[in-house]
Amino acid sequence: LQQNSLHGTIPQELVELPFLMGLDLSWNNLTGIIPENIGHANVLEILSLQGNELNGTLPNGLFELTNLKYLFLGDNGFSGSISENIEQLANLRQLTVSENPMAGTIPSALGLCKYLESLNIYYTNIEGTIPEEVCLLTQGYNNLQIQADCSRDKATAVPFIKCDCCKICCDHNTHECKAESDEQPSDIDDQHTTSTIASNSDVTRTQAMEKLEVEVLHRGATFNEMASDDPRQLALNWILDEDGMGLDFNARNFIQRYTLALLAYSLDSQAWGVTGDETVNLRVVESNFSWLSSVDECSWYNVTCTSGVVTGLWLDEYSLIGTIPPEISRLVQLDFISFRRNCLYGTIPSEMGQLSTLTYLRLQENALSGTVPDSIFGLSALEILYLQYQYNNDWACTRSSGEVVNIYFSEGDATNGMNLGLIGKILDDNLANLTSLRDIRVGYNQFSGTISPKISHLENLGILRAENNKIRGSIPDEITMLENISEIWLQDNYITGEIPQNVGAMKNLENLKISGHRGLVGTLPPSLFELSNLEFLYLNGNSLIGSVSENIRQLTKLIDFRINDNSFNGTIPDAIQFCQELEILDFSHNDLSGTLPSGLFKLSTLQYFYLRANSFTGSISEDIGQLTKLIHLLVDENKFNGTIPNSIGLCQDLEKLHLQESGLHGTLPDGLYDLMNLQDLYLDRNDFSGTISERIGDMTGLLDLRLYENRFSGALPSTPGFCEDLEILLIENTNITGTLPQEVCALTAKNLFSIEYAALRADCYSGDVNVAPFIECDCCDTCCDHVTHECHNMIT
């Protein structure tokens, strides 16, 4: 959720999510403190809150996150000190608290975080001396890199914090930073020591080219056969001729640095650069951290290293354009890759299957095409695979030249036609080889094939999302053996057969969406109602039959329940009242009948209530007023009788009220006019009578008012003229007479006008020249005959 202009505080409910592994709220406008219950997110591995307006001290719960690997808190207003309890974060790899008014000293307990790779504490009020226990980590396996306010103050010649092991030292006052080698010599044995070249005579271009051709380039490529603007050639020129670090080609990190440079030149964007311009998406704070700058590549923005070796690339939403180079596989110790929401096109290189240590692969929201290489299914360490949303995306990125690329089209070029996303089989037998897989999301592509029974081999799988593809066949019974699964999204594919009878065996299931399959038939399995943790259940748009069981009472955590557009029959069980968390309930377009049970009106959290196009009878109870959180109430096309209950006025948040063709009669109750937030009011094709109250002008939010085909009488009051946003007013085939008020006609100069549809329609036409129109209207776009119901467009 980074960079979304979010504001307000962090809700406590967010950190209560039981399977939350990563939370990125960086670069928003959040305020307040970190919730104390943050410790409940006990599987959290990544927490990024940098670039907000958060304050307060770091809560004790933060130090209970024993699985935490990456903690980014920079650029906020946090105060207090770093607790000795930091030692409990034994898996921590990166810690950033820079640009906060934090004080105190660095606790020696931080030295117990033996996996720590990066520590950023610059531009804070932290002082004292970096403990020896922490400095020892700079010599250890991870080669810890520290950046602190350890530059000597120009006035006092005394650094704000004393550090003999820092990689980069900053001036607390001027905010100028320098690499440690520029500040003072160090006798620490840095495992990432590089050799610099004194002159071009120390290494020949030919030798460097030969080394890269053998050890980096793929598919038989050679530099002599490349165009001058080939990214591989550009990266070569940069590292040999332009790079301020001036590496010898035998330097330990030469290949790594070249490969990162190649990635930068392959994925063109205005976000790349060495200037540190804060206006670009990369949002670097100092030029020292920009890609293609002269500092150690492990200090480049969002590059993660362990012992000087690149282990992670996190480049989300940086407008990166182009194809992923196969040479990325030369970063052999990559643990995670995240290129979410860029403008990447082309295919996934098969060489990525050589990244045997890869655990996170996040390529979602791009414009990739082709099949997923078989080699990807050999990544036995892979835990996270995100490939969703490669199809029908409509956003643009900007090249460094200023050219705009829209990934709705193949390779961003409109002449190539629409990009069709990834294809081929994704859930077949090969998937079972990813034995470490915990989360796979491949929705909104063109994947085909079937779901293999071998999916049961993925014992760690918690999330399966493959919605909006072309996956066929039945859901195998073996899927119910996934004991850790919490989410299954298979909606909008070509699924056939029935819901597995043993679906209830997936006890941790919270989210089940298998809607939009006309080939999915049968009844609801009894075991479905044993899923006591279920919160979201989407079964809409299938061909399911039967009734809803009284055992619905067991789904007490249900928030969103949709079975619309099926062939269910019977009645709504009164036991629905036990689903006290329900916010959305959609039973529309079925064959349900009977009266509405009293239990429905006890669902006090209900916001969206849809019963459209069924055969419900009886009246709408006055208890509807208990549903005070309703936003939508759509119960049209039923066989009710009775009147609109006056208590409807208690539903003050109501925006849409659809009662058309529902068998209701009587006059409109006063409570109806209390609905100040109402936008859509559909009362057409009923047997309502009486007059329209002047209070209708109190409903100033109205956009669409439909009163036609009723027995309303009298004149239309002038007060609808106060509804300045009104777009549709239909009052034909009623007994409303007189002259349409000028206050209403005045709305046609605002929103009450359309050349595409009838926006203002009344009985203002007579087919008999001897009979005057039923109502006078000189501003209606459509006039109808009150007797024959014949209508004419008055604009044309």
Side-chain angles (χ1 to χ4, degrees):
L1 299 175
Q2 72 271 30
Q3 200 181 2
N4 276 303
S5 299
L6 302 177
H7 55 86
T9 59
I10 301 174
Q12 293 189 358
E13 295 81 0
L14 184 61
V15 296
E16 293 286 353
L17 296 174
F19 298 103
L20 187 65
M21 296 178 60
L23 179 60
D24 189 350
L25 297 172
S26 56
W27 307 105
N28 284 291
N29 300 307
L30 300 175
T31 55
I33 61 174
I34 300 176
E36 180 62 42
N37 65 330
I38 186 72
H40 294 179
N42 54 17
V43 297
L44 199 65
E45 295 183 359
I46 301 171
L47 178 60
S48 181
L49 303 177
Q50 60 192 3
N52 283 286
E53 299 172 22
L54 300 169
N55 54 44
T57 59
L58 304 186
N60 292 330
L62 187 64
F63 304 104
E64 298 172 6
L65 301 175
T66 55
N67 288 302
L68 201 62
K69 295 180 180 179
Y70 304 97
L71 179 57
F72 304 117
L73 303 176
D75 200 6
N76 279 286
F78 293 118
S79 57
S81 60
I82 299 176
S83 169
E84 288 281 350
N85 292 333
I86 192 75
E87 67 181 8
Q88 297 174 193
L89 306 185
N91 291 303
L92 201 61
R93 295 183 181 183
Q94 293 193 32
L95 173 61
T96 296
V97 295
S98 50
E99 299 186 78
N100 282 288
M102 298 183 68
T105 59
I106 296 295
S108 60
L110 185 60
L112 297 175
C113 300
K114 60 181 180 179
Y115 299 112
L116 197 63
E117 304 164 0
S118 175
L119 174 62
N120 295 312
I121 55 173
Y122 56 94
Y123 309 159
T124 68
N125 293 325
I126 295 173
E127 53 188 358
T129 302
I130 301 293
E132 181 181 355
E133 294 86 346
V134 176
C135 277
L136 286 173
L137 296 179
T138 65
Q139 307 174 50
Y141 174 76
N142 292 323
N143 189 25
L144 172 64
Q145 299 185 49
I146 306 173
Q147 182 171 348
D149 291 338
C150 47
S151 279
R152 297 182 183 280
D153 184 275
K154 293 180 179 180
T156 65
V158 177
F160 200 77
I161 190 169
K162 185 176 180 181
C163 181
D164 295 329
C165 59
C166 287
K167 187 72 174 180
I168 298 176
C169 284
C170 301
D171 188 301
H172 182 72
N173 296 314
T174 66
H175 290 192
E176 295 177 357
C177 296
K178 295 181 180 179
E180 178 271 337
S181 57
D182 296 334
E183 184 79 7
Q184 56 186 8
S186 171
D187 57 2
I188 295 175
D189 179 21
D190 184 356
Q191 294 187 33
H192 197 168
T193 299
T194 58
S195 302
T196 59
I197 54 176
S199 67
N200 289 334
S201 61
D202 293 335
V203 58
T204 67
R205 191 177 194 86
T206 300
Q207 288 175 301
M209 290 166 59
E210 289 176 350
K211 181 181 181 70
L212 293 173
E213 287 171 353
V214 172
E215 299 185 31
V216 180
L217 301 188
H218 277 295
R219 306 177 187 180
T222 61
F223 287 106
N224 289 333
E225 296 175 353
M226 293 177 192
S228 59
D229 61 350
D230 188 295
R232 294 165 293 184
Q233 192 75 258
L234 295 174
L236 175 70
N237 294 340
W238 175 82
I239 199 167
L240 294 182
D241 304 330
E242 302 171 25
D243 183 10
M245 183 167 280
L247 290 184
D248 182 274
F249 77 96
N250 286 316
R252 178 176 179 264
N253 59 324
F254 181 78
I255 287 176
Q256 171 175 282
R257 193 170 177 84
Y258 170 81
T259 303
L260 289 176
L262 169 56
L263 186 63
Y265 282 111
S266 296
L267 306 181
D268 184 26
S269 173
Q270 284 187 338
W272 298 117
V274 297
T275 62
D277 185 352
E278 294 186 45
T279 64
V280 298
N281 292 336
L282 200 51
R283 292 195 311 271
V284 292
V285 179
E286 297 288 341
S287 61
N288 284 347
F289 311 124
S290 300
W291 282 60
L292 304 181
S293 61
S294 60
V295 300
D296 191 311
E297 66 274 8
C298 287
S299 296
W300 289 357
Y301 194 75
N302 278 6
V303 174
T304 300
C305 292
T306 299
S307 298
V309 178
V310 174
T311 56
L313 300 171
W314 200 293
L315 298 173
D316 294 348
E317 296 188 72
Y318 293 143
S319 290
L320 305 181
I321 304 166
T323 60
I324 302 172
E327 287 79 9
I328 195 173
S329 65
R330 298 309 190 189
L331 302 173
V332 294
Q333 292 191 35
L334 275 175
D335 176 57
F336 66 82
I337 298 174
S338 187
F339 294 158
R340 180 181 68 84
R341 198 177 176 88
N342 285 291
C343 291
L344 306 183
Y345 50 76
T347 59
I348 299 172
S350 61
E351 289 82 358
M352 290 184 77
Q354 300 172 17
L355 298 172
S356 60
T357 62
L358 197 63
T359 60
Y360 286 61
L361 179 57
R362 302 178 6 136
L363 303 177
Q364 72 269 34
E365 299 177 69
N366 281 287
L368 298 172
S369 57
T371 60
V372 177
D374 287 344
S375 60
I376 296 296
F377 297 103
L379 297 173
S380 58
L382 197 64
E383 299 178 10
I384 306 294
L385 178 60
Y386 290 177
L387 301 175
Q388 69 269 32
Y389 292 103
Q390 307 295 336
Y391 167 66
N392 204 25
N393 294 323
D394 190 10
W395 64 74
C397 302
T398 306
R399 296 186 187 275
S400 56
S401 64
E403 178 190 357
V404 176
V405 172
N406 189 323
I407 63 168
Y408 181 83
F409 304 106
S410 178
E411 298 188 3
D413 187 343
T415 62
N416 294 332
M418 180 180 180
N419 184 67
L420 298 178
L422 294 167
I423 62 174
K425 298 177 181 179
I426 191 67
L427 301 182
D428 65 350
D429 289 353
N430 281 340
L431 188 67
N433 296 326
L434 301 179
T435 53
S436 299
L437 199 62
R438 293 187 288 114
D439 189 345
I440 177 172
R441 307 184 189 193
V442 294
Y444 290 89
N445 281 289
Q446 303 284 328
F447 288 120
S448 57
T450 60
I451 305 172
S452 170
K454 292 184 178 180
I455 197 169
S456 62
H457 296 179
L458 304 178
E459 297 178 355
N460 299 308
L461 193 62
I463 296 176
L464 168 62
R465 296 185 183 178
E467 74 279 13
N468 289 84
N469 280 290
K470 296 180 179 179
I471 296 168
R472 299 180 178 274
S474 61
I475 302 173
D477 291 337
E478 288 82 356
I479 201 170
T480 64
M481 299 170 65
L482 297 174
E483 296 180 355
N484 294 309
I485 197 81
S486 64
E487 292 187 18
I488 297 177
W489 290 13
L490 295 172
Q491 66 268 32
D492 298 311
N493 281 283
Y494 298 104
I495 302 295
T496 57
E498 300 186 5
I499 300 173
Q501 290 299 305
N502 198 32
V503 65
M506 296 182 283
K507 298 299 184 184
N508 291 308
L509 199 60
E510 298 177 357
N511 196 323
L512 177 61
K513 298 180 180 180
I514 48 176
S515 53
H517 307 113
R518 288 305 177 190
L520 189 66
V521 299
T523 59
L524 301 182
S527 72
L528 178 69
F529 301 100
E530 297 173 9
L531 297 172
S532 58
N533 288 307
L534 207 58
E535 297 178 356
F536 299 87
L537 179 57
Y538 290 11
L539 301 175
N540 48 298
N542 295 307
S543 296
L544 301 172
I545 60 173
S547 60
V548 180
S549 169
E550 283 282 345
N551 289 331
I552 189 74
R553 69 177 64 239
Q554 297 173 197
L555 305 185
T556 57
K557 295 182 179 180
L558 209 56
I559 295 173
D560 190 344
F561 185 23
R562 308 183 190 193
I563 60 169
N564 52 291
D565 295 279
N566 280 285
S567 297
F568 289 111
N569 54 35
T571 60
I572 299 176
D574 191 57
I576 193 78
Q577 65 182 291
F578 294 102
C579 303
Q580 282 294 302
E581 303 296 322
L582 265 177
E583 297 178 3
I584 301 174
L585 180 63
D586 194 346
F587 286 0
S588 300
H589 294 278
N590 280 289
D591 297 320
L592 297 169
S593 58
T595 58
L596 303 185
S598 60
L600 268 178
F601 306 105
K602 297 177 182 178
L603 300 175
S604 59
T605 59
L606 201 60
Q607 298 178 33
Y608 300 89
F609 187 14
Y610 307 114
L611 298 178
R612 307 183 63 208
N614 281 285
S615 298
F616 292 113
T617 56
S619 61
I620 299 175
S621 170
E622 283 284 345
D623 290 340
I624 191 75
Q626 298 179 39
L627 305 183
T628 57
K629 295 186 178 180
L630 275 182
I631 297 174
H632 289 182
L633 176 59
L634 280 61
V635 295
D636 50 286
E637 297 182 54
N638 279 288
K639 299 177 180 178
F640 296 118
N641 55 51
T643 61
I644 300 175
N646 190 57
S647 62
I648 193 72
L650 299 175
C651 304
Q652 289 288 296
D653 293 331
L654 206 59
E655 295 178 358
K656 293 183 184 292
L657 178 58
H658 291 194
L659 301 175
Q660 71 271 26
E661 202 174 352
S662 56
L664 298 172
H665 60 82
T667 59
L668 303 185
D670 287 341
L672 181 66
Y673 301 107
D674 292 332
L675 300 176
M676 305 298 182
N677 293 306
L678 202 62
Q679 297 174 4
D680 291 2
L681 178 56
Y682 292 5
L683 302 178
D684 51 282
R685 290 168 289 168
N686 282 293
D687 195 31
F688 292 119
S689 57
T691 59
I692 307 300
S693 169
E694 290 191 354
R695 289 195 60 208
I696 198 165
D698 296 340
M699 305 165 74
T700 55
L702 274 178
L703 301 176
D704 193 341
L705 176 59
R706 306 188 182 198
L707 305 176
Y708 66 94
E709 293 187 38
N710 279 288
R711 292 191 299 116
F712 294 118
S713 58
L716 187 72
S718 62
T719 52
F722 294 124
C723 305
E724 295 189 354
D725 295 323
L726 195 65
E727 298 175 355
I728 296 177
L729 175 60
L730 308 179
I731 59 173
E732 80 278 9
N733 299 335
T734 67
N735 293 325
I736 295 174
T737 59
T739 300
L740 202 72
Q742 285 302 309
E743 293 85 349
V744 176
C745 280
L747 297 179
T748 61
K750 298 179 180 178
N751 299 300
L752 190 58
F753 176 81
S754 174
I755 60 174
E756 299 177 0
Y757 55 84
L760 179 53
R761 195 166 65 199
D763 289 340
C764 47
Y765 170 79
S766 176
D768 187 340
V769 295
N770 298 314
V771 178
F774 207 71
I775 189 170
E776 295 279 344
C777 179
D778 58 7
C779 62
C780 291
D781 56 54
T782 304
C783 284
C784 302
D785 189 307
H786 182 70
V787 177
T788 66
H789 304 320
E790 177 185 353
C791 296
H792 293 268
N793 187 316
M794 306 307 291
I795 297 177
T796 58

